[in-house]
């Protein structure tokens, strides 16, 4: 029994129960206790995650205890903590109830599991375990029409998508003759990969994950849901849920035998489209579409949460692009990007929440003159947005550099160029926010937000790394490379 | 000769600097200072001239040379001072005329609010002209060449608070700048072939055939084109008459004696690289210009305009001489012309001064009694330019015609015709201004002779106009520099071996004299002797010609319609397209810009244009599509998603 | 008798296809009605038929536990839940659950396209089990129980699903709890 | 010492932020003066040198192909360093009266300075790119916050254009680094030889990477047809920022070409020579024509920049020593002259609150000193001998004609005429002619103040000095570019031979 | 005569497609849920069929048990959400719930 490997999960589960119990018992008397408990559980789980075995052993036949899973667990716990704290600073759900906290914990548990799952049943279950609490989290403000609507769209869209994925998964089960990814690998090696059903199943599974990471054409839910949900929840979904989706996708892809034929020198640099397998080509197409659609649609947005939603779609495109190359370097780059994305996007959603809280609207035009009126807020937002654009010397730039280097390294120059150009396009809409905050002269009375030290502290925690890690990122790179072993790719192991 | 050369150059430079920055605060606004400096230069020039007279024929000394910069991989580019006979003569002419013009200006410009500034720019002009003359290499020469252009611009537009001088100065600068393009072409071609700008090396290369025939022709024509611009030859002559908007001393100095002659000087200087074809071009342009400008001059009523066209015509003469291979004849004419034309300009200045800036000769007449000194000296000038024997113009013009007779008989007749015309319109000018009855009594009554500062220069120049011809005996000084080698280059091209050949051609001299005399006589008859009715009768058959002449052969109109308007139209077109098309098409930030513009409350039509055209507009539109698909209905979302998957699956398998 | 026996063909081999055919018909017709019936209540009842059909399919496939579970969970749970939802949300409408008319053909087209994609793939490929004959039917309940609790098999999902159900319970209860008066 | 030079402005920016608003400009001025002194000291050390001096190298991110903090300057870089320090210092004087958030302004200004200095000192591609991009951010805000009415549009346009350029540059850089496994500019230059990186040659990857870099730098220069951001940026930017933009920022494009794009891909560059020459000629003539049609004084000058920067690419395309030296001389000369021109526009804008050429007139009598300086700058820009623009133009022309694209050199001569035309027309319309009585009101139209003189006169003196004694500026960088020229000519020969 | 595996699979595919049609064709949110349930049922048929044909063990059935559980959870949550929507809007016609768009 590898209970040690399950310790984070156990702690999270305990946290869920503790929060519910504390909420039931202490309602009215100690409203802060559940939050403390939830944060504590997440921190404990994170701490435990640092000590789980990472030798790649199989835990209870369903989970792989390796550094990749460890890191994803850690990230998701971190995002959970920050999202909870950000919720308390955001525009809604300032005092989250026990249900909210419990659902966040369950979702984090699902994410952690998803990133370790090597069994299709577990994978599907974990997938739903992320989804179902998320549906509720989005609609947590019951009386809010928009939150309701967002929640409904999310649940319907999510269920259909997961239904598509499930159907694909069942075919994979059929091909594998079992539910473990190992069995699938073995079956594919024996020729199952040639079957048309395999490809269809892959496409269906990809549809499910596309929903999870909000990739085209399963991105439709994201703008509406992010706009309707509290900003902090939006951040949680955009970061943690997406990260978990990618982790799950990596697990699945690791068993699909996608190794691309190695080419040499100039021949390699001339490649246009991933040729390892049809799946990678499909993934690349989805990636390009995703980043392009996300960026182009974002050009039109005026509401900050919608804008961030479309931008997060575009970022999913970059991450998918890294995946579509499917090399160790690309995977490390993807992880690197995820870390950067985590800080940037959480910070963006946090700040958006704070501003909506104070201004009562998320319309970018309403931010006029804010940058100069509240300098730290302006600077923090500027750093975050420039980082999202991918401008040096910020974390976002280095992350993009990693991704595109990995893509170029495998020879997909054109893919890289498309991605880079997309990055440049994104400047326009990010800069619009800044333009409104700094460049536009305020019309009439400017509402000066009242911000507390807690807002500042939280922002500092998220924004400082964006700046600092943009300059000293060598260690993250080494760490990301170490976390992604070749075995994860389904190669050489 | 280094010291006098440097002093010669630096004295007016110092004068300019002091005068420009402090002139206004000096006593008498510093005119004495500039006289002093230019006087010093004159003294130096005289000393150089005297030294030069003692040198052997065809001498050439590079008295100073310094590396200036070295942008290439080879030898550095230098600035250098070279003195030869031509330089010595030019220095003398330039400094002398400059000095006299300075002196004249003391009286002429008296009371002008920018009196000091005028002298400052006169000084700067002198410096620039001296740089040009002293230059030992083409680049250095070009610097002087451009600087005289600047000074010309500044001085023509000296009264630029009025519109006409402003326009005239601009026209002068831009027109000569067009000519400068030729100079640049020559510089580039020569440097590309020779790798140096030094005259000796250029000429040596030309002789050794380093300069291929094609490039040599290009370089020579380039040089000549520059000269055409500067010396107001066809087709770039249009600026010079307009330049008469400048103060008259300026016209005398720059637009009669020195700067416009710089073109002639340049061609003479670069003669060794002129192949026969180029010389032919020079001669033809010169001859045609001489005749055409003479024709136009006949129909002008503004004294200065008459003189201006006369200058153009005389410069044409010089080029004719050069083009015929009569190197020294052209230069000789340059010298004599400098004197008598400066004399006439200053004389006209004196008249204008006397008549309170009235320049229209139809309002003058009978001024001889009021301005005897001016009238007489002016008369001497007229006689000199008309080529009356034993005056300077006779000798120099004769030499040119002789050369033309030998080389291009057709052009000889052109020259002869223009000689006749010259005498004719000069007589007209003189008669109209000084003789007859005053046509405007008011002007007449107030006319008075200027102060001595104005009359002395007239006298000096009159004397020179008479005697300069005897300098013909010293034309050895004007023998081609660089000794026999360069002479050889010239001789290569032509029949003309013996330069003395021209001077003793009695037949040509006779014809020339006759033409001059005829012109004078005709002028006297037409403008003095016969009645108005007879004049009209005489005029009638010539009416079309007169109309053409009076409107200067419509050059200005032609250029306006052919070049200026299209250029402006093009500029406007480009400017418009730059806002919309290029902007939009290149990467379409215009489209994005529309958004930004809306934010700032302003929309730009072109930007909107760009938005539609550019790829940025495309991005914007596609963004709209993506955004519109997001219509809010979850069923539609699901429809798109599922349909995409289904379609993909089918397409993937069926095809 | 023998002649009689001879004259009556042995239908036994044809029994499974026939049963399958009828069940499939029930399933698909039920589903189609669920998809297209104008009244939502009719759709719900059609769904019940369909679920029964599926249960029958399970039974045919020897999945006794699942067949039972299908009836209990789907019909006894989910379907009731759905009807409950229909009734609750339909209370204001005069016609119970009558939907606004909508064009169904794009949906049908998409569904047909999807089916085409799936069917073509199925026809063109074989699973490991395609060539196998179905194993003899056994009771599966015990095996299922063992598999669910086997530490090397499905213990992790089994535990997880309990957490998930708890979460769903909490979430659904929270959302549905305080209803507008 | 170079690190001190680069990061001193950052320190200054911090100080600006911390100290009271009234002192920000003093901090800025002091920091700039210190930069000047340091740049001077660096110049003493490195002027004329073909090797990198004052090098400093520290490992930074060894894991990623050995990124290091590597700075150093040779004569070429130091010439631009001096220009930067000089123009920037005068820019501070020009921004003395900024009233809108002075703290932010001066802090941004210093950050911008840091970026500019960094670009010229960086010897590591990553560092170079970092500084290259870092510069954009303060520039965006400086135009966007302190600019004119359409500043939002102009700033985003500037930002977007340059970012698109940088993206292409980055793509090329990544390809290079992947292939050659180093970020070090000297090492890469050495590896390139006369053939080029990425396998060399005039086609294939080398060409793709060269084009990426070329477009990236061409947008900054800006070369036709990538220039359309410039007029807008200039028109909207505040005066000192226009000075910096024209004086230094545009030069980065040229610097990038001469330091990176051309040495890295000499053969690809030679292969593209005809195209680049053609574009340069278009830029020169087209820029001048468009300038001629402008009614906004600042826009006219902006287009004149486009025209003049065409000389840079023209000289580069020729690849001859004269061409390269002339091109760089043009950068230096244009740096000072255009800074002066923009200051001149700023002076009159401050008084008249408009820039319409047609609405001015007769300023020469209202503001004589100002007008003298203006005409000085105009003539310097149109290439009057004795002033720096002339040296640059003539050298470039000669260099271009010496190179393989003689026709381009000949056609570009047209620009000389058009340039004279638009400057003289403007001069006449704005400064000459009748003086409207309004301008004689000394209260509203005072002649240039001491502060404005302190900006204009040094620029004028440098222009004059560079025009009369060009050797000193030229010798500072000559040998470096001569080296490049020999590489390029070898590359050209190789391409022709093929 | 035994049925081939593909028969079951085709039935499942058909059911799945009908489920999708239901989702796409119905405007009532609850009806959309019905469609989703159909899709899950189709998946389950696959799983059980695979189990029956060739595979040893009951892994497919185990999977379908989990699917059953998840379907229940999903349906519960979805219905709760639909009820909440109904609370705030008095309607559950998905086509009219389109405030969030763009």
């Amino acid at each position: 029994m590898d209970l040690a490997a399950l310790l984070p999960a156990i702690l999270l589960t305990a946290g869920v129960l503790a929060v519910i119990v504390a909420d039931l018992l202490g309602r009215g008397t100690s409203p802060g206790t559940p939050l403390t408990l939830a944060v504590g559980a997440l921190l404990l789980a994170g701490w435990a995650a640092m000590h789980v075995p990472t030798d790649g052993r199989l835990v209870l036949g369903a989970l792989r205890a390796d550094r990749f899973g460890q890191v994803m667990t850690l990230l998701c716990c971190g995002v959970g903590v920050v999202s909870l704290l950000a919720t308390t600073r955001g525009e809604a759900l300032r005092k989250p109830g026990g249900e909210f906290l419990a659902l966040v914990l369950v979702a984090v548990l699902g994410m952690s599991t998803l990133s370790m799952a090597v069994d299709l049943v577990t994978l599907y279950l974990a997938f739903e375990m992320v989804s179902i609490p998320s549906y509720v989290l989005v609609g947590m403000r019951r009386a809010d029409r928009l939150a309701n609507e967002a929640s409904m769209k999310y649940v319907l869209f999510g269920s259909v998508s997961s239904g598509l994925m499930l159907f694909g998964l069942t075919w994979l089960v059929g091909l594998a003759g079992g539910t473990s990814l190992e069995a699938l690998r073995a079956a594919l090696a024996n020729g199952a990969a040639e079957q048309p059903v395999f490809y269809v199943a892959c496409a269906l599974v990809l549809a499910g994950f596309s929903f999870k990471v909000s990739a085209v054409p399963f991105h439709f839910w994201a703008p509406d849901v992010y706009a309707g949900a509290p900003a902090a929840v939006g951040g949680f979904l955009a970061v943690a849920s997406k990260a978990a989706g990618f982790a799950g996708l990596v697990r699945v892809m690791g068993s699909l035998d996608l190794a691309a034929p190695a080419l040499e020198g100039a021949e390699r640099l001339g490649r246009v489209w991933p040729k390892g397998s049809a799946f990678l080509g499909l993934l690349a197409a989805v990636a390009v579409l995703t980043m392009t659609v996300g960026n182009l649609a974002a050009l039109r947005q005026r509401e900050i949460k919608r804008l961030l939603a479309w931008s997060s779609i575009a970022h999913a495109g970059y991450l998918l692009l890294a995946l579509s190359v499917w090399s160790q370097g690309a995977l490390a780059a993807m992880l690197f990007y995820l870390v950067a994305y985590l800080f940037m996007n959480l910070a963006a959603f946090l700040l958006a929440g704070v501003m909506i809280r104070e201004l009562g609207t998320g319309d970018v035009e309403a931010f006029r003159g804010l940058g100069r009126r509240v300098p730290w807020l302006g600077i923090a937002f500027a750093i975050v947005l420039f980082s999202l654009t991918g401008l040096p010397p910020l974390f976002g730039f280095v992350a993009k550099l990693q991704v595109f280097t990995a893509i170029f390294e495998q020879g997909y120059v054109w893919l890289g160029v498309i991605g880079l150009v997309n990055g440049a396009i994104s400047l326009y809409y990010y800069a619009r926010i800044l333009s409104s905050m700094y460049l536009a002269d305020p019309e009439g009375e400017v509402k000066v937000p009242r911000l507390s030290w807690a807002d500042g502290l939280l922002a500092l925690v998220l924004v400082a790394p964006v700046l600092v890690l943009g300059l000293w990122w060598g260690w993250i790179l080494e760490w990301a490379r170490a976390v992604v072993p070749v075995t994860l790719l389904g190669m050489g192991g | 000769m280094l010291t006098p050369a440097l002093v010669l150059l630096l004295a007016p430079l110092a004068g300019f600097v002091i005068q420009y920055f402090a002139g206004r605060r000096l006593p008498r606004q510093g005119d004495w200072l500039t006289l002093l400096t230019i006087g010093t230069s004159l003294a130096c020039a005289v000393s150089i001239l005297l030294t030069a007279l003692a040198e052997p024929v065809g001498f050439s000394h590079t008295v100073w040379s310094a590396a200036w910069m070295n942008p290439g991989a080879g030898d550095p580019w230098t600035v250098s001072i070279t003195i030869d006979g031509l330089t010595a003569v030019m220095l003398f002419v330039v400094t002398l005329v400059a000095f006299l013009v300075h002196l004249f200006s003391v009286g002429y410009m008296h009371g002008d609010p920018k009196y000091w500034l005028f002298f400052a720019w006169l000084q700067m002009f002198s410096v620039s002209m001296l740089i040009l003359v002293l230059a030992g290499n083409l680049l250095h020469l070009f610097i002087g060449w451009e600087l005289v252009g600047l000074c010309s611009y500044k001085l023509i537009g000296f009264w630029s608070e009025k519109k006409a001088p402003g326009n005239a100065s601009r026209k002068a600068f831009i027109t000569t700048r067009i000519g400068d393009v030729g100079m640049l072409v020559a510089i580039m071609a020569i440097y590309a072939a020779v790798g140096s700008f030094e005259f000796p090396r250029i000429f040596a290369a030309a002789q050794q055939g380093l300069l291929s025939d094609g490039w040599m022709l290009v370089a020579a024509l380039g040089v000549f084109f520059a000269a055409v611009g500067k010396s107001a030859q066809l087709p770039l002559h249009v600026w010079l008459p307009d330049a008469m908007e400048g103060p008259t001393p300026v016209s005398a100095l720059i637009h009669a004696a020195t700067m416009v002659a710089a073109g002639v000087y340049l061609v003479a200087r670069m003669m060794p690289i002129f192949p026969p074809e180029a010389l032919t071009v020079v001669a033809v342009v010169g001859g045609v210009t001489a005749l055409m400008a003479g024709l136009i001059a006949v129909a002008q009523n503004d004294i200065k305009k008459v003189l201006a066209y006369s200058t153009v015509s005389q410069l044409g003469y010089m080029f004719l001489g050069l083009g015929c291979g009569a190197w020294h004849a052209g230069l000789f004419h340059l010298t004599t012309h400098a004197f008598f034309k400066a004399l006439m300009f200053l004389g006209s200045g004196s008249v204008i001064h006397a008549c309170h800036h009235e320049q229209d000769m139809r309002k003058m007449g009978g001024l001889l009694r009021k301005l005897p000194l001016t009238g007489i000296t002016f008369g001497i000038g007229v006689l000199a330019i008309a080529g009356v024997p034993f005056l300077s113009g006779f000798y120099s013009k004769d030499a040119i015609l002789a050369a033309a007779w030998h080389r291009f008989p057709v052009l000889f007749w052109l020259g002869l015709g223009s000689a006749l015309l010259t005498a004719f319109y000069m007589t007209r000018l003189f008669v109209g201004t000084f003789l007859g009855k005053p046509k405007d009594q008011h002007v007449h009554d107030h006319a008075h002779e200027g102060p001595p500062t104005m009359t002395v220069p007239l006298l000096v120049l009159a004397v020179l106009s008479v005697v300069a011809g005897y300098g013909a005996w010293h034309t050895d000084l004007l023998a081609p520099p660089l000794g026999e080698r360069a002479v050889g280059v010239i001789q290569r091209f032509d029949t003309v071996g013996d330069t003395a050949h021209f001077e003793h051609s009695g037949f040509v001299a006779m014809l020339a004299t006759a033409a001059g005399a005829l012109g004078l006589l005709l002028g006297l008859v037409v403008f003095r002797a016969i009645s108005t009715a007879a004049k009209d009768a005489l005029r009638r058959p010539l009416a079309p010609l007169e109309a053409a002449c009076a409107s200067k052969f419509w050059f200005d109109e032609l250029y306006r319609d052919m070049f200026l308007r299209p250029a402006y139209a093009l500029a406007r077109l480009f400017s418009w397209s730059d806002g919309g098309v290029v902007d939009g098409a290149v990467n379409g930030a215009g489209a994005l810009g529309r958004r930004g513009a809306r934010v700032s409350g302003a929309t730009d039509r072109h930007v909107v244009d760009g938005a539609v055209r550019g790829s940025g507009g495309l991005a914007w539109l596609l963004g709209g599509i993506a955004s519109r698909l997001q219509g809010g209905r979850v069923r539609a979302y699901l429809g798109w998603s599922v349909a995409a998957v289904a379609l993909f699956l089918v397409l993937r398998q069926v095809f | 008798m023998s002649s009689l026996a001879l004259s009556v063909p042995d239908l036994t081999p044809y029994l499974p296809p026939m049963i399958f055919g009828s069940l499939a018909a029930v399933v698909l017709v039920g589903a189609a009605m669920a998809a297209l019936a104008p009244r939502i209540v009719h759709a719900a009842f059609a769904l019940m038929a369909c679920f029964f059909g599926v249960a029958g399919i399970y039974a045919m496939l020897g999945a006794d536990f699942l067949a039972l579970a299908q009836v209990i969970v789907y019909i006894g749970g989910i379907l009731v839940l759905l009807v409950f939802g229909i009734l609750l949300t339909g209370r204001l409408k005069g016609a119970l659950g009558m939907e606004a008319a909508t064009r169904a053909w794009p949906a049908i087209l998409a569904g047909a396209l999807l089916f085409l994609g799936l069917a073509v793939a199925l026809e063109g490929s074989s699973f490991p089990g395609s060539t196998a004959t179905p194993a003899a039917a056994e009771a599966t309940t015990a095996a299922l129980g063992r598999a669910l609790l086997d530490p090397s098999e499905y213990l992790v999902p089994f535990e997880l699903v309990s957490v998930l159900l708890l979460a769903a319970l909490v979430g659904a209860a929270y959302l549905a709890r305080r209803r507008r008066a | 010492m170079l690190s001190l030079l680069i990061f001193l402005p950052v320190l200054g920016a911090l100080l600006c932020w911390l100290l009271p608003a009234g002192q920000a400009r003093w901090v800025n001025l002091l920091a700039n003066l210190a930069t000047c002194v340091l740049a001077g000291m660096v110049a003493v050390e490195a002027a004329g040198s073909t090797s990198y001096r004052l090098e400093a190298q520290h490992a930074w991110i060894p894991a990623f192909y050995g990124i290091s903090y590597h700075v150093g300057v040779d004569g070429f870089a130091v010439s631009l360093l001096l220009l930067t320090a000089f123009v920037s210092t005068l820019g501070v004087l020009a921004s003395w009266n900024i009233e809108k958030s002075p703290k932010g302004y001066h802090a941004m200004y210093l950050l911008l300075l840091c970026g500019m200095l960094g670009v010229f000192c960086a010897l590591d591609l990553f560092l170079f790119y970092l500084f290259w991009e870092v510069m954009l951010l303060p520039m965006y805000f400086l135009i966007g916050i302190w600019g004119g009415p359409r500043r939002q549009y102009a700033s985003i346009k500037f930002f977007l254009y340059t970012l698109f350029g940088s993206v292409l540059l980055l793509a090329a850089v990544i390809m290079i680094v992947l292939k050659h496994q180093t970020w070090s500019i000297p090492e890469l230059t050495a590896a390139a030889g006369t053939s080029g990186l990425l396998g060399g040659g005039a086609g294939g990857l080398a060409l793709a990477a060269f084009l990426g870099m070329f477009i990236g730098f061409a947008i900054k220069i800006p070369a036709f047809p990538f220039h359309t951001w410039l007029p807008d940026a200039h028109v909207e930017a505040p005066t000192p920022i226009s000075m910096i933009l024209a004086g230094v920022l545009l030069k980065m494009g040229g610097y990038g070409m001469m330091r990176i794009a051309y040495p890295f891909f000499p053969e690809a560059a030679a292969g593209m020579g005809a195209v680049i020459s053609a574009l340069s000629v278009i830029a020169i003539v087209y820029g001048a024509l468009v300038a001629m049609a402008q009614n906004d004084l600042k826009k006219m000058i902006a287009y004149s920049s486009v025209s003049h920067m065409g000389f840079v690419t023209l000289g580069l395309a020729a690849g001859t020593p004269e061409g390269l030296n002339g091109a760089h001389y043009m950068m230096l000369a244009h740096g000072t002259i255009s800074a002066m021109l923009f200051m001149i526009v700023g002076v009159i804008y401050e008084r008249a609150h408009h820039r319409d050429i047609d609405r001015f007139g007769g300023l020469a009598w209202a503001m004589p000193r100002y007008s003298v300086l203006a005409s000085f700058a105009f003539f310097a820009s149109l290439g009057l001998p004795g002033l720096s623009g002339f040296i640059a133009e003539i050298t470039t022309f000669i260099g271009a004609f010496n190179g393989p694209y003689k026709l381009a050199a000949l056609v570009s001569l047209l620009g000389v005429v058009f340039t004279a035309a638009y400057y003289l027309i403007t001069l006449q319309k704005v400064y000459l002619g009748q003086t409207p009585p309004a301008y004689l009101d000394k209260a509203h139209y005072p002649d240039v103040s001491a502060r404005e003189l302190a900006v204009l006169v040094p620029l004028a003196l440098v222009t004059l000095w560079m025009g009369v004694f060009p050797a000193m500026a030229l010798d500072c960088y000559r040998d470096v570019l001569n080296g490049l020229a020999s590489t390029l000519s070898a590359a050209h020969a190789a391409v022709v031979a093929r | 005569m035994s049925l081939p595996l593909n028969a079951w699979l085709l039935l499942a595919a058909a059911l799945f497609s009908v489920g999708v049609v239901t989702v796409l064709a119905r405007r009532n949110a609850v009806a959309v849920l019905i469609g989703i349930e159909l899709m899950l049922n189709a998946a389950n048929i696959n799983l059980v069929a695979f189990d029956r044909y060739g595979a040893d063990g009951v892994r497919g059935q185990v999977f379908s048990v989990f699917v059953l559980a998840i379907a229940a959870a999903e349906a519960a949550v979805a219905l709760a959400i639909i009820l909440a929507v109904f609370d705030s809007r008095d309607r559950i016609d998905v086509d009219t719930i389109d405030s969030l768009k763009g």
Side-chain angles (χ1 to χ4, degrees), chain B residues 128-150:
Chain B
S128 314
M129 193 67 207
L130 293 171
I131 289 175
L132 194 164
V133 171
L134 283 170
N137 67 52
L138 196 54
L139 183 68
H140 186 166
L141 186 146
F142 184 58
I143 293 170
W145 184 263
E146 290 286 291
L147 287 177
V148 291
L150 170 76

Side-chain angles (χ1 to χ4, degrees), chain A residues 221-467:
Chain A
W221 61 275
D224 292 2
V225 166
Y226 290 11
V233 173
F236 181 68
L237 294 182
V239 178
S241 178
K242 196 170 283 189
F246 276 106
L249 194 53
V250 167
R251 289 289 181 200
V252 174
M253 284 171 70
S255 64
L256 293 186
D257 194 22
L258 297 169
L263 299 174
E264 279 306 313
E267 191 189 358
R268 192 178 67 171
L269 273 170
R271 276 200 251 177
V272 175
W273 213 245
K275 290 197 188 71
S277 80
F279 184 77
L280 291 184
L282 177 61
L283 203 60
V286 167
V288 167
L289 264 179
T290 302
M291 66 175 80
T292 311
V293 168
N295 273 325
L296 294 183
L299 293 177
R300 294 262 185 165
Q301 303 307 319
R302 296 167 66 88
E303 209 272 332
I304 180 124
K305 283 194 286 186
R306 279 198 97 74
L307 193 152
L308 287 176
W310 282 109
S311 111
S312 83
I313 292 173
H315 283 280
Y318 304 133
L319 288 161
L320 280 172
L321 203 57
L323 268 190
S324 76
V325 171
W326 200 246
S327 69
Q328 194 189 2
L331 224 51
M334 192 203 78
L335 200 61
F336 193 112
Y337 198 96
L338 264 179
V339 174
Y341 177 75
L342 181 159
F343 283 108
M344 303 185 295
N345 234 33
L346 279 182
F349 275 103
L350 166 79
L351 293 172
V354 167
M355 295 214 275
I356 298 171
R357 180 189 84 204
E358 290 301 323
L359 299 174
T361 168
D363 190 336
V364 173
E365 295 299 306
F367 298 166
R368 277 167 177 265
L370 262 188
R372 274 176 282 159
R373 208 58 66 94
V374 193
W376 72 261
L377 185 68
I379 290 174
F381 223 141
I383 291 175
V384 168
L385 293 176
F386 283 139
S387 179
L388 281 168
T389 313
L391 288 177
L394 302 169
F395 203 12
F397 164 69
V398 209
K400 277 213 172 82
L401 181 68
Q402 296 305 318
V403 168
F404 291 119
T405 309
I407 292 165
F408 274 76
E409 193 176 21
Q410 295 302 309
Y412 304 113
V413 175
W414 286 111
L415 278 183
V417 170
I418 292 172
L420 283 168
V421 168
N422 258 293
I425 292 176
S426 71
L427 169 73
Y428 179 71
Y429 56 83
Y430 291 127
R432 263 192 72 207
I433 303 175
L434 291 175
S435 174
S436 177
M437 289 180 74
Y438 279 103
L439 312 193
D441 290 319
E443 284 165 357
E445 198 71 7
V446 176
K447 193 174 171 195
V448 180
R450 282 165 299 126
L451 303 172
S452 70
W453 60 269
D455 299 326
L457 189 68
L458 204 52
L460 184 71
V461 168
L462 290 172
V463 175
V466 172
L467 195 59

Side-chain angles (χ1 to χ4, degrees), chain B residues 70-71 167 170 177 578 583 599, chain D residues 152 157 227 303 325 382 428 468 478:
Chain B
N70 185 8
N167 286 343
R170 193 182 79 206
R177 189 95 178 171
D578 205 62
D583 198 358
V599 169
Chain D
Q152 290 189 321
K157 191 170 176 182
H227 64 280
Y303 275 109
N325 285 317
L382 68 78
Q428 191 187 6
V468 178
R478 194 176 69 94

